[in-house]
Coordinates of all heavy atoms in Angstrom, one line a residue:
P1 N 0.8 -1.2 0.0 CA 0.0 0.0 0.0 C 0.8 1.3 0.0 O 0.4 2.3 -0.6 CB -0.8 -0.1 1.3 CG -0.1 -1.1 2.1 CD 0.6 -2.0 1.2
H2 N 2.1 1.2 0.6 CA 2.9 2.4 0.6 C 3.3 2.8 -0.8 O 3.3 4.0 -1.1 CB 4.1 2.2 1.5 CG 3.8 1.8 2.9 ND1 3.9 0.5 3.3 CD2 3.4 2.6 3.9 CE1 3.6 0.5 4.6 NE2 3.3 1.7 5.0
D3 N 3.7 1.8 -1.6 CA 4.1 2.1 -2.9 C 3.0 2.7 -3.8 O 3.2 3.7 -4.5 CB 4.5 0.8 -3.6 CG 5.3 1.0 -4.9 OD1 6.3 1.8 -4.8 OD2 5.0 0.3 -5.9
T4 N 1.8 2.2 -3.6 CA 0.7 2.8 -4.3 C 0.4 4.2 -3.9 O 0.1 5.1 -4.7 CB -0.6 1.9 -4.1 OG1 -0.3 0.6 -4.5 CG2 -1.8 2.5 -4.9
L5 N 0.5 4.5 -2.6 CA 0.3 5.8 -2.1 C 1.3 6.8 -2.6 O 1.0 7.9 -3.1 CB 0.4 5.8 -0.5 CG 0.3 7.2 0.1 CD1 -1.1 7.8 -0.1 CD2 0.6 7.1 1.6
V6 N 2.6 6.4 -2.6 CA 3.6 7.3 -3.1 C 3.4 7.6 -4.6 O 3.5 8.8 -5.1 CB 5.0 6.7 -2.9 CG1 6.1 7.5 -3.7 CG2 5.4 6.7 -1.4
K7 N 3.1 6.6 -5.4 CA 2.9 6.8 -6.8 C 1.7 7.6 -7.1 O 1.7 8.4 -8.0 CB 2.7 5.4 -7.5 CG 4.0 4.6 -7.6 CD 3.8 3.3 -8.3 CE 5.1 2.5 -8.3 NZ 4.9 1.2 -8.9
S8 N 0.6 7.5 -6.3 CA -0.6 8.2 -6.6 C -0.4 9.7 -6.2 O -0.9 10.6 -6.8 CB -1.8 7.6 -5.9 OG -1.7 7.6 -4.5
V9 N 0.3 9.9 -5.1 CA 0.5 11.3 -4.6 C 1.4 12.1 -5.5 O 1.2 13.3 -5.7 CB 1.0 11.3 -3.1 CG1 1.5 12.7 -2.7 CG2 -0.1 10.8 -2.2
L10 N 2.4 11.4 -6.1 CA 3.4 12.1 -6.9 C 3.2 11.9 -8.4 O 4.1 12.3 -9.1 CB 4.8 11.7 -6.4 CG 5.1 12.1 -5.0 CD1 6.5 11.5 -4.6 CD2 5.1 13.6 -4.7
A11 N 2.1 11.3 -8.8 CA 2.0 10.9 -10.2 C 1.9 12.1 -11.1 O 2.4 12.1 -12.2 CB 0.7 10.1 -10.4
K12 N 1.2 13.2 -10.7 CA 1.1 14.4 -11.5 C 2.4 15.2 -11.4 O 2.9 15.5 -10.3 CB -0.1 15.2 -11.0 CG -1.4 14.5 -11.2 CD -2.5 15.4 -10.8 CE -3.9 14.7 -10.9 NZ -4.9 15.6 -10.3
P13 N 2.9 15.7 -12.6 CA 4.1 16.4 -12.6 C 4.0 17.7 -11.6 O 5.0 18.0 -10.9 CB 4.3 16.9 -14.0 CG 3.6 15.8 -14.8 CD 2.4 15.4 -13.9
E14 N 2.9 18.3 -11.6 CA 2.8 19.5 -10.8 C 2.9 19.2 -9.3 O 3.4 20.0 -8.5 CB 1.5 20.3 -11.1 CG 0.2 19.5 -10.9 CD -0.3 18.8 -12.1 OE1 0.5 18.6 -13.1 OE2 -1.4 18.4 -12.2
D15 N 2.4 18.0 -8.9 CA 2.5 17.6 -7.5 C 3.9 17.2 -7.1 O 4.4 17.6 -6.1 CB 1.6 16.5 -7.2 CG 0.1 16.9 -7.3 OD1 -0.2 18.1 -7.2 OD2 -0.7 15.9 -7.5
A16 N 4.6 16.5 -8.0 CA 6.0 16.1 -7.8 C 6.9 17.4 -7.7 O 7.8 17.5 -6.9 CB 6.5 15.2 -8.8
A17 N 6.6 18.3 -8.7 CA 7.4 19.6 -8.7 C 7.2 20.4 -7.4 O 8.1 21.0 -6.9 CB 7.0 20.4 -9.9
A18 N 5.9 20.4 -6.9 CA 5.7 21.2 -5.7 C 6.5 20.6 -4.5 O 7.0 21.3 -3.7 CB 4.2 21.1 -5.4
L19 N 6.5 19.3 -4.5 CA 7.3 18.6 -3.4 C 8.8 19.0 -3.6 O 9.5 19.4 -2.6 CB 7.2 17.1 -3.4 CG 8.1 16.3 -2.5 CD1 7.8 16.6 -1.0 CD2 8.1 14.9 -2.8
L20 N 9.3 18.9 -4.8 CA 10.7 19.2 -5.0 C 11.1 20.6 -4.7 O 12.2 20.9 -4.2 CB 11.1 18.8 -6.4 CG 11.2 17.3 -6.8 CD1 11.3 17.1 -8.3 CD2 12.3 16.7 -6.0
R21 N 10.2 21.5 -5.0 CA 10.4 22.9 -4.7 C 10.6 23.2 -3.2 O 11.3 24.1 -2.8 CB 9.3 23.8 -5.3 CG 9.4 24.0 -6.7 CD 8.4 25.1 -7.1 NE 8.2 25.2 -8.5 CZ 7.0 24.8 -9.1 NH1 6.0 24.5 -8.4 NH2 6.9 24.9 -10.4
T22 N 9.9 22.4 -2.4 CA 10.0 22.6 -1.0 C 11.3 21.9 -0.4 O 11.7 22.3 0.7 CB 8.8 22.0 -0.2 OG1 8.7 20.6 -0.4 CG2 7.5 22.7 -0.7
V23 N 11.9 20.9 -1.0 CA 13.0 20.2 -0.4 C 14.4 20.6 -1.1 O 15.4 20.4 -0.5 CB 12.8 18.7 -0.4 CG1 11.6 18.3 0.4 CG2 12.7 18.1 -1.8
L24 N 14.3 21.1 -2.3 CA 15.6 21.4 -3.0 C 16.1 22.8 -2.5 O 15.3 23.7 -2.2 CB 15.4 21.5 -4.5 CG 15.2 20.1 -5.2 CD1 14.9 20.4 -6.7 CD2 16.4 19.2 -5.0
P25 N 17.4 23.0 -2.5 CA 17.9 24.3 -2.1 C 17.4 25.3 -3.1 O 17.3 25.0 -4.3 CB 19.4 24.1 -2.2 CG 19.7 22.6 -2.2 CD 18.4 22.0 -2.7
A26 N 17.1 26.5 -2.7 CA 16.6 27.6 -3.5 C 17.5 27.9 -4.7 O 17.0 28.1 -5.8 CB 16.3 28.8 -2.7
E27 N 18.8 27.8 -4.5 CA 19.7 28.2 -5.6 C 19.7 27.1 -6.7 O 20.1 27.4 -7.8 CB 21.2 28.4 -5.1 CG 21.8 27.2 -4.3 CD 21.4 27.3 -2.8 OE1 20.7 28.1 -2.3 OE2 22.0 26.4 -2.0
L28 N 19.3 25.9 -6.4 CA 19.1 24.9 -7.4 C 17.7 25.0 -8.0 O 17.6 24.9 -9.3 CB 19.4 23.5 -6.8 CG 19.1 22.3 -7.8 CD1 20.0 22.4 -9.0 CD2 19.3 21.0 -7.0
S29 N 16.7 25.1 -7.2 CA 15.4 25.2 -7.7 C 15.1 26.3 -8.7 O 14.3 26.1 -9.6 CB 14.4 25.3 -6.5 OG 13.1 25.3 -6.9
V30 N 15.7 27.4 -8.5 CA 15.5 28.6 -9.3 C 16.0 28.3 -10.8 O 15.4 28.9 -11.7 CB 16.2 29.8 -8.8 CG1 17.7 29.8 -8.9 CG2 15.6 31.1 -9.4
D31 N 16.9 27.4 -11.0 CA 17.4 27.1 -12.3 C 16.6 26.0 -13.0 O 16.8 25.9 -14.3 CB 18.9 26.6 -12.2 CG 19.8 27.7 -11.8 OD1 19.5 28.9 -12.1 OD2 20.9 27.4 -11.2
I32 N 15.8 25.3 -12.4 CA 15.0 24.3 -13.0 C 13.8 24.9 -13.7 O 13.1 25.7 -13.1 CB 14.5 23.2 -11.9 CG1 15.8 22.5 -11.4 CG2 13.6 22.2 -12.5 CD1 15.5 21.6 -10.2
E33 N 13.5 24.4 -14.9 CA 12.4 24.9 -15.7 C 11.1 24.1 -15.3 O 10.8 23.1 -15.9 CB 12.7 24.8 -17.2 CG 13.8 25.8 -17.5 CD 13.9 25.9 -19.1 OE1 13.0 25.5 -19.8 OE2 15.0 26.4 -19.5
W34 N 10.4 24.5 -14.3 CA 9.3 23.8 -13.7 C 8.2 23.7 -14.8 O 7.4 22.7 -14.7 CB 8.8 24.4 -12.4 CG 9.9 24.3 -11.4 CD1 10.6 25.3 -10.9 CD2 10.3 23.1 -10.7 NE1 11.5 24.8 -9.9 CE2 11.4 23.5 -9.8 CE3 10.0 21.8 -10.8 CZ2 12.0 22.6 -9.0 CZ3 10.6 20.9 -10.0 CH2 11.6 21.3 -9.1
A35 N 8.1 24.6 -15.7 CA 7.0 24.6 -16.7 C 7.2 23.5 -17.6 O 6.3 23.0 -18.3 CB 7.0 25.9 -17.4
H36 N 8.4 22.9 -17.7 CA 8.7 21.8 -18.6 C 8.9 20.5 -17.9 O 9.4 19.5 -18.4 CB 10.0 22.1 -19.4 CG 9.8 23.3 -20.3 ND1 9.2 23.2 -21.6 CD2 10.2 24.6 -20.2 CE1 9.2 24.4 -22.1 NE2 9.8 25.2 -21.3
F37 N 8.5 20.4 -16.6 CA 8.6 19.3 -15.8 C 7.6 18.2 -16.2 O 6.4 18.4 -16.1 CB 8.4 19.6 -14.3 CG 8.9 18.6 -13.3 CD1 10.2 18.4 -13.1 CD2 8.0 17.9 -12.6 CE1 10.7 17.5 -12.2 CE2 8.4 16.9 -11.7 CZ 9.7 16.8 -11.5
E38 N 8.0 17.1 -16.9 CA 7.1 16.2 -17.5 C 7.4 14.8 -17.0 O 8.6 14.4 -16.8 CB 7.3 16.2 -19.0 CG 6.9 17.5 -19.6 CD 7.2 17.6 -21.1 OE1 7.7 16.6 -21.6 OE2 6.9 18.6 -21.7
R39 N 6.4 14.0 -16.9 CA 6.5 12.6 -16.5 C 6.9 11.8 -17.7 O 6.5 12.0 -18.8 CB 5.2 12.1 -16.0 CG 5.3 10.7 -15.3 CD 4.0 10.4 -14.6 NE 4.1 9.0 -14.1 CZ 3.1 8.4 -13.5 NH1 2.0 9.0 -13.2 NH2 3.3 7.1 -13.2
R40 N 7.8 10.8 -17.5 CA 8.3 10.0 -18.5 C 8.0 8.5 -18.2 O 7.6 8.1 -17.1 CB 9.9 10.1 -18.6 CG 10.3 11.5 -19.1 CD 9.9 11.7 -20.5 NE 10.3 12.9 -21.0 CZ 9.4 13.7 -21.7 NH1 8.2 13.4 -21.9 NH2 9.8 14.9 -22.2
D41 N 8.1 7.7 -19.2 CA 7.9 6.3 -19.1 C 8.8 5.7 -18.0 O 10.0 6.0 -18.0 CB 8.2 5.6 -20.5 CG 7.8 4.1 -20.5 OD1 7.3 3.6 -19.5 OD2 8.1 3.4 -21.5
T42 N 8.3 4.9 -17.2 CA 9.1 4.3 -16.1 C 9.9 3.1 -16.5 O 10.6 2.5 -15.7 CB 8.2 4.0 -14.9 OG1 7.3 3.1 -15.2 CG2 7.6 5.3 -14.3
E43 N 9.7 2.6 -17.7 CA 10.4 1.4 -18.2 C 11.7 1.9 -18.8 O 11.7 2.6 -19.8 CB 9.5 0.6 -19.2 CG 10.1 -0.7 -19.5 CD 9.2 -1.5 -20.4 OE1 8.2 -2.1 -19.8 OE2 9.5 -1.6 -21.6
I44 N 12.8 1.5 -18.2 CA 14.1 1.9 -18.7 C 14.8 0.7 -19.4 O 15.0 -0.3 -18.7 CB 15.0 2.4 -17.5 CG1 14.3 3.4 -16.6 CG2 16.3 2.9 -18.0 CD1 13.8 4.7 -17.3
P45 N 15.1 0.8 -20.7 CA 15.8 -0.3 -21.3 C 17.1 -0.6 -20.6 O 17.8 0.3 -20.1 CB 16.1 0.3 -22.7 CG 15.2 1.5 -22.9 CD 15.0 2.0 -21.5
G46 N 17.4 -1.9 -20.6 CA 18.6 -2.3 -20.0 C 19.3 -3.4 -20.8 O 18.7 -3.8 -21.8
E47 N 20.5 -3.7 -20.5 CA 21.2 -4.7 -21.2 C 20.7 -6.1 -20.9 O 20.9 -7.0 -21.7 CB 22.7 -4.6 -20.9 CG 23.3 -3.3 -21.5 CD 24.8 -3.3 -21.3 OE1 25.4 -4.3 -21.1 OE2 25.4 -2.2 -21.5
E48 N 20.1 -6.3 -19.8 CA 19.6 -7.6 -19.4 C 18.3 -7.8 -20.2 O 17.8 -7.0 -20.9 CB 19.3 -7.7 -17.9 CG 18.3 -6.7 -17.4 CD 19.0 -5.4 -16.9 OE1 20.2 -5.3 -17.0 OE2 18.2 -4.5 -16.5
R49 N 17.7 -9.0 -20.1 CA 16.6 -9.4 -20.9 C 15.3 -8.6 -20.6 O 14.6 -8.2 -21.5 CB 16.3 -10.9 -20.7 CG 17.3 -11.7 -21.3 CD 17.0 -13.2 -21.1 NE 18.1 -14.0 -21.6 CZ 18.0 -15.2 -22.0 NH1 16.9 -15.8 -21.9 NH2 19.1 -15.8 -22.4
S50 N 15.1 -8.3 -19.4 CA 13.9 -7.5 -19.0 C 14.4 -6.0 -18.6 O 15.4 -5.8 -18.0 CB 13.2 -8.1 -17.9 OG 14.0 -8.2 -16.7
P51 N 13.6 -5.1 -19.0 CA 14.0 -3.7 -18.7 C 13.8 -3.4 -17.2 O 13.1 -4.1 -16.5 CB 12.9 -2.9 -19.5 CG 11.8 -3.8 -19.8 CD 12.3 -5.2 -19.8
T52 N 14.5 -2.3 -16.8 CA 14.3 -1.9 -15.4 C 13.1 -1.0 -15.3 O 12.8 -0.3 -16.3 CB 15.6 -1.0 -15.0 OG1 16.7 -1.9 -15.1 CG2 15.5 -0.5 -13.6
R53 N 12.4 -1.1 -14.2 CA 11.2 -0.2 -14.0 C 11.4 0.6 -12.8 O 11.7 0.0 -11.7 CB 10.0 -1.0 -14.0 CG 8.7 -0.2 -13.9 CD 7.4 -1.0 -14.1 NE 7.3 -1.5 -15.4 CZ 6.9 -0.8 -16.5 NH1 6.7 0.5 -16.4 NH2 6.8 -1.4 -17.7
T54 N 11.2 1.9 -12.8 CA 11.3 2.7 -11.7 C 9.9 3.2 -11.3 O 9.0 3.1 -12.1 CB 12.3 3.9 -11.9 OG1 12.5 4.5 -10.7 CG2 11.8 4.8 -12.9
D55 N 9.7 3.7 -10.1 CA 8.4 4.1 -9.6 C 7.9 5.3 -10.4 O 6.8 5.2 -11.0 CB 8.4 4.4 -8.1 CG 8.5 3.1 -7.3 OD1 8.3 2.0 -7.8 OD2 8.8 3.2 -6.1
L56 N 8.7 6.3 -10.4 CA 8.3 7.6 -11.1 C 9.5 8.2 -11.7 O 10.6 8.3 -11.1 CB 7.6 8.6 -10.2 CG 6.3 8.2 -9.6 CD1 5.9 9.0 -8.4 CD2 5.2 8.2 -10.7
L57 N 9.4 8.7 -12.9 CA 10.5 9.4 -13.6 C 10.0 10.6 -14.3 O 9.0 10.6 -14.9 CB 11.1 8.4 -14.7 CG 12.2 9.0 -15.5 CD1 13.4 9.3 -14.7 CD2 12.6 8.0 -16.6
F58 N 10.7 11.7 -14.0 CA 10.4 13.0 -14.6 C 11.6 13.6 -15.3 O 12.7 13.3 -14.9 CB 9.9 14.0 -13.5 CG 8.6 13.6 -12.8 CD1 8.7 12.8 -11.7 CD2 7.4 13.9 -13.3 CE1 7.5 12.4 -11.0 CE2 6.2 13.5 -12.7 CZ 6.3 12.7 -11.5
E59 N 11.3 14.5 -16.3 CA 12.4 15.1 -17.0 C 12.1 16.6 -17.1 O 10.9 17.0 -17.3 CB 12.5 14.5 -18.4 CG 13.5 15.2 -19.3 CD 13.5 14.6 -20.7 OE1 12.5 13.9 -21.1 OE2 14.4 14.9 -21.4
T60 N 13.1 17.4 -17.1 CA 12.9 18.8 -17.4 C 14.2 19.4 -17.9 O 15.2 18.7 -18.0 CB 12.4 19.6 -16.1 OG1 12.1 20.9 -16.5 CG2 13.5 19.6 -15.0
R61 N 14.2 20.7 -18.2 CA 15.5 21.4 -18.6 C 16.0 22.2 -17.4 O 15.3 22.5 -16.5 CB 15.2 22.3 -19.8 CG 14.7 21.4 -21.0 CD 14.5 22.3 -22.2 NE 13.5 23.4 -21.9 CZ 12.9 24.0 -22.9 NH1 13.1 23.7 -24.1 NH2 12.0 25.0 -22.6
I62 N 17.2 22.7 -17.6 CA 17.8 23.5 -16.6 C 18.4 24.7 -17.3 O 19.1 24.6 -18.3 CB 18.8 22.8 -15.7 CG1 19.2 23.6 -14.5 CG2 20.0 22.3 -16.5 CD1 19.9 22.8 -13.4
R63 N 18.0 25.9 -16.8 CA 18.5 27.2 -17.3 C 18.4 27.4 -18.8 O 19.2 28.0 -19.4 CB 20.0 27.4 -16.9 CG 20.1 27.7 -15.4 CD 21.6 28.0 -15.1 NE 22.0 27.0 -14.2 CZ 23.2 26.5 -14.2 NH1 24.2 27.0 -14.9 NH2 23.6 25.6 -13.3
G64 N 17.4 26.8 -19.4 CA 17.1 27.0 -20.8 C 18.2 26.3 -21.7 O 18.1 26.4 -22.9
A65 N 19.1 25.5 -21.1 CA 20.1 24.9 -21.8 C 19.6 23.6 -22.4 O 18.5 23.1 -22.1 CB 21.3 24.6 -20.9
D66 N 20.4 23.0 -23.3 CA 20.0 21.8 -23.9 C 20.3 20.6 -23.0 O 20.4 19.5 -23.4 CB 20.8 21.6 -25.3 CG 20.1 20.6 -26.2 OD1 18.9 20.3 -25.9 OD2 20.7 20.2 -27.1
A67 N 20.6 20.9 -21.8 CA 20.9 19.9 -20.7 C 19.6 19.4 -20.2 O 18.6 20.1 -20.2 CB 21.8 20.4 -19.6
R68 N 19.5 18.2 -19.7 CA 18.3 17.6 -19.1 C 18.5 17.3 -17.7 O 19.6 16.9 -17.3 CB 17.9 16.4 -19.9 CG 17.5 16.6 -21.3 CD 16.1 17.2 -21.4 NE 15.7 17.2 -22.8 CZ 15.6 18.2 -23.6 NH1 16.1 19.4 -23.1 NH2 15.2 18.2 -24.8
V69 N 17.5 17.4 -16.9 CA 17.5 16.9 -15.5 C 16.5 15.8 -15.4 O 15.3 16.0 -15.8 CB 17.1 18.1 -14.6 CG1 17.0 17.6 -13.1 CG2 18.1 19.2 -14.7
Y70 N 16.9 14.7 -14.9 CA 16.0 13.6 -14.6 C 15.8 13.4 -13.1 O 16.8 13.4 -12.4 CB 16.5 12.3 -15.2 CG 16.5 12.4 -16.7 CD1 17.7 12.8 -17.4 CD2 15.4 12.0 -17.5 CE1 17.7 12.9 -18.8 CE2 15.5 12.1 -18.9 CZ 16.6 12.5 -19.5 OH 16.6 12.6 -20.9
V71 N 14.6 13.3 -12.7 CA 14.3 13.1 -11.3 C 13.6 11.7 -11.2 O 12.6 11.4 -11.8 CB 13.3 14.1 -10.8 CG1 13.0 13.9 -9.3 CG2 13.9 15.5 -10.9
V72 N 14.2 10.8 -10.4 CA 13.7 9.5 -10.1 C 13.1 9.4 -8.7 O 13.8 9.7 -7.8 CB 14.8 8.4 -10.3 CG1 14.3 7.0 -10.0 CG2 15.4 8.5 -11.7
F73 N 11.9 9.0 -8.6 CA 11.3 8.7 -7.3 C 11.2 7.2 -7.2 O 10.6 6.6 -8.0 CB 9.9 9.3 -7.2 CG 9.8 10.8 -7.0 CD1 9.6 11.6 -8.1 CD2 9.9 11.3 -5.7 CE1 9.5 13.0 -7.9 CE2 9.9 12.7 -5.6 CZ 9.7 13.5 -6.7
E74 N 11.9 6.7 -6.2 CA 11.9 5.2 -6.0 C 11.5 5.0 -4.5 O 12.3 5.3 -3.6 CB 13.3 4.7 -6.3 CG 13.3 3.2 -6.3 CD 12.5 2.5 -7.4 OE1 12.5 3.0 -8.6 OE2 11.8 1.5 -7.1
H75 N 10.4 4.4 -4.3 CA 9.9 4.1 -2.9 C 10.4 2.7 -2.6 O 10.3 1.8 -3.3 CB 8.4 4.2 -2.9 CG 7.9 3.8 -1.5 ND1 7.4 2.5 -1.3 CD2 7.8 4.4 -0.4 CE1 7.0 2.4 -0.1 NE2 7.3 3.5 0.5
Q76 N 10.9 2.6 -1.4 CA 11.4 1.3 -0.9 C 10.9 1.2 0.6 O 11.4 2.0 1.4 CB 12.9 1.2 -1.0 CG 13.5 -0.1 -0.6 CD 13.1 -1.2 -1.6 OE1 13.1 -0.9 -2.8 NE2 12.9 -2.4 -1.1
S77 N 10.0 0.3 0.9 CA 9.5 0.2 2.2 C 10.3 -0.7 3.1 O 10.1 -0.7 4.3 CB 8.0 -0.2 2.2 OG 7.9 -1.5 1.5
T78 N 11.1 -1.5 2.5 CA 12.0 -2.4 3.3 C 13.4 -2.2 2.9 O 13.7 -1.8 1.7 CB 11.6 -3.9 3.1 OG1 11.7 -4.2 1.7 CG2 10.2 -4.2 3.6
P79 N 14.4 -2.5 3.8 CA 15.8 -2.3 3.4 C 16.2 -3.2 2.2 O 15.7 -4.3 2.1 CB 16.5 -2.7 4.7 CG 15.6 -2.6 5.8 CD 14.2 -2.9 5.2
D80 N 17.0 -2.7 1.4 CA 17.4 -3.4 0.2 C 18.9 -3.1 0.0 O 19.2 -2.0 -0.5 CB 16.6 -3.1 -1.0 CG 17.0 -3.9 -2.3 OD1 18.0 -4.7 -2.2 OD2 16.4 -3.7 -3.3
A81 N 19.8 -4.0 0.3 CA 21.2 -3.8 0.1 C 21.6 -3.5 -1.3 O 22.7 -2.9 -1.5 CB 22.0 -5.0 0.7
L82 N 20.8 -3.9 -2.2 CA 21.1 -3.7 -3.7 C 20.5 -2.4 -4.2 O 20.6 -2.2 -5.4 CB 20.7 -4.9 -4.5 CG 21.4 -6.2 -4.1 CD1 20.8 -7.4 -5.0 CD2 22.9 -6.1 -4.3
M83 N 19.9 -1.6 -3.4 CA 19.3 -0.4 -3.9 C 20.3 0.5 -4.6 O 19.9 1.0 -5.7 CB 18.6 0.4 -2.8 CG 17.9 1.6 -3.3 SD 16.7 1.4 -4.6 CE 15.3 0.8 -3.7
P84 N 21.5 0.7 -4.2 CA 22.4 1.5 -4.9 C 22.7 1.0 -6.3 O 22.8 1.7 -7.3 CB 23.7 1.5 -4.1 CG 23.2 1.3 -2.7 CD 22.0 0.4 -2.8
L85 N 22.8 -0.3 -6.4 CA 23.0 -1.0 -7.7 C 21.7 -0.8 -8.6 O 21.9 -0.5 -9.8 CB 23.3 -2.5 -7.6 CG 23.5 -3.2 -8.9 CD1 24.6 -2.7 -9.7 CD2 23.8 -4.7 -8.5
R86 N 20.6 -0.9 -8.1 CA 19.3 -0.7 -8.8 C 19.2 0.7 -9.4 O 18.9 0.9 -10.5 CB 18.1 -1.0 -8.0 CG 17.9 -2.5 -7.7 CD 16.7 -2.8 -6.8 NE 15.5 -2.1 -7.1 CZ 14.5 -1.9 -6.3 NH1 14.6 -2.3 -5.0 NH2 13.4 -1.2 -6.7
L87 N 19.6 1.7 -8.5 CA 19.5 3.1 -9.0 C 20.6 3.4 -10.0 O 20.4 4.1 -10.9 CB 19.7 4.0 -7.8 CG 18.5 4.1 -6.9 CD1 18.7 5.0 -5.7 CD2 17.3 4.6 -7.7
A88 N 21.8 2.7 -9.9 CA 22.8 2.9 -10.9 C 22.4 2.4 -12.2 O 22.6 3.0 -13.2 CB 24.1 2.2 -10.4
R89 N 21.7 1.2 -12.2 CA 21.2 0.7 -13.5 C 20.2 1.6 -14.1 O 20.1 1.8 -15.3 CB 20.6 -0.7 -13.2 CG 21.6 -1.8 -13.1 CD 20.9 -3.1 -12.9 NE 21.8 -4.2 -12.7 CZ 21.5 -5.3 -12.0 NH1 20.3 -5.5 -11.6 NH2 22.4 -6.2 -11.8
T90 N 19.3 2.2 -13.2 CA 18.3 3.1 -13.7 C 19.0 4.3 -14.4 O 18.6 4.7 -15.5 CB 17.4 3.6 -12.6 OG1 16.7 2.4 -12.0 CG2 16.4 4.6 -13.0
V91 N 20.0 4.9 -13.7 CA 20.7 6.1 -14.3 C 21.4 5.7 -15.6 O 21.2 6.5 -16.6 CB 21.7 6.6 -13.2 CG1 22.7 7.6 -13.9 CG2 21.0 7.2 -12.0
V92 N 22.0 4.6 -15.7 CA 22.7 4.2 -16.9 C 21.6 4.0 -18.0 O 21.8 4.4 -19.2 CB 23.5 2.9 -16.7 CG1 23.9 2.3 -18.1 CG2 24.7 3.2 -15.9
G93 N 20.5 3.4 -17.7 CA 19.4 3.2 -18.7 C 18.8 4.6 -19.2 O 18.6 4.8 -20.4
I94 N 18.7 5.5 -18.3 CA 18.2 6.8 -18.6 C 19.2 7.5 -19.5 O 18.8 8.1 -20.6 CB 17.9 7.7 -17.4 CG1 16.7 7.2 -16.6 CG2 17.7 9.2 -17.7 CD1 16.6 7.7 -15.2
L95 N 20.5 7.5 -19.2 CA 21.5 8.1 -20.0 C 21.6 7.4 -21.4 O 21.8 8.1 -22.4 CB 22.9 8.0 -19.3 CG 23.0 8.9 -18.0 CD1 24.3 8.6 -17.3 CD2 22.8 10.3 -18.3
H96 N 21.5 6.1 -21.4 CA 21.5 5.4 -22.7 C 20.3 5.8 -23.6 O 20.5 6.1 -24.8 CB 21.5 3.9 -22.4 CG 21.4 3.1 -23.7 ND1 22.5 2.9 -24.5 CD2 20.4 2.4 -24.3 CE1 22.2 2.2 -25.5 NE2 20.9 1.8 -25.4
T97 N 19.1 5.9 -23.0 CA 17.9 6.3 -23.7 C 18.1 7.7 -24.2 O 17.8 8.1 -25.4 CB 16.7 6.2 -22.9 OG1 16.6 4.8 -22.5 CG2 15.4 6.6 -23.6
A98 N 18.6 8.6 -23.4 CA 18.7 10.0 -23.7 C 19.7 10.2 -24.9 O 19.5 10.9 -25.8 CB 19.2 10.9 -22.5
A99 N 20.8 9.4 -24.8 CA 21.8 9.5 -25.8 C 21.3 9.1 -27.2 O 21.6 9.6 -28.2 CB 23.1 8.7 -25.4
S100 N 20.5 8.0 -27.2 CA 20.0 7.5 -28.4 C 18.9 8.5 -29.0 O 18.8 8.6 -30.2 CB 19.4 6.1 -28.3 OG 18.2 6.1 -27.4
V101 N 18.2 9.2 -28.2 CA 17.2 10.1 -28.6 C 17.9 11.4 -29.2 O 17.5 11.9 -30.2 CB 16.2 10.5 -27.5 CG1 15.4 11.7 -27.9 CG2 15.4 9.3 -27.1
L102 N 18.9 11.8 -28.5 CA 19.6 13.0 -28.9 C 20.6 12.8 -30.1 O 21.0 13.8 -30.7 CB 20.4 13.6 -27.7 CG 19.5 14.1 -26.5 CD1 20.4 14.5 -25.4 CD2 18.6 15.2 -27.0
G103 N 20.8 11.6 -30.4 CA 21.7 11.2 -31.5 C 23.1 11.3 -31.2 O 24.0 11.5 -31.7

């Protein structure tokens, strides 16, 4: 039930953005283009047979640059020693996808 709650509360980009605005340092938050904060597919291609799936994934721009900012929300209700590895795979998958889209 915790996972469902987190996903439903933060599913809308405007709700996730509102949360991030309250927890991020002001000097970082001011550079993020909140008007372009969009939810992305949570299925991240991987080198293994099945893709990685994250709870919530958002993308936006920063300072009008052609750079992208990806925000991953991953809820974990029990300890998982492999969580750093799972997040690393997610980041690599996001970068791989972004590189193939950008050419």
Side-chain angles (χ1 to χ4, degrees):
H2 301 102
D3 195 49
T4 302
L5 175 65
V6 169
K7 287 178 183 177
S8 64
V9 169
L10 299 175
K12 293 180 183 174
E14 58 270 17
D15 294 336
L19 172 68
L20 288 170
R21 282 191 194 114
T22 65
V23 298
L24 290 175
E27 56 272 8
L28 175 60
S29 184
V30 71
D31 290 332
I32 295 174
E33 293 189 16
W34 297 108
H36 297 279
F37 196 73
E38 299 175 356
R39 190 168 171 184
R40 293 292 180 229
D41 186 7
T42 60
E43 188 174 286
I44 311 298
E47 292 185 17
E48 58 272 358
R49 292 181 184 201
S50 62
T52 300
R53 184 169 293 282
T54 190
D55 288 345
L56 293 165
L57 176 63
F58 296 91
E59 176 185 16
T60 190
R61 296 183 304 201
I62 192 162
R63 286 185 246 148
D66 201 17
R68 298 280 190 260
V69 175
Y70 294 93
V71 178
V72 177
F73 285 96
E74 188 66 44
H75 174 262
Q76 186 68 37
S77 58
T78 59
D80 182 357
L82 297 178
M83 182 54 82
L85 180 58
R86 286 177 49 199
L87 287 175
R89 284 184 183 153
T90 298
V91 169
V92 168
I94 291 167
L95 294 174
H96 178 74
T97 301
S100 65
V101 169
L102 297 175

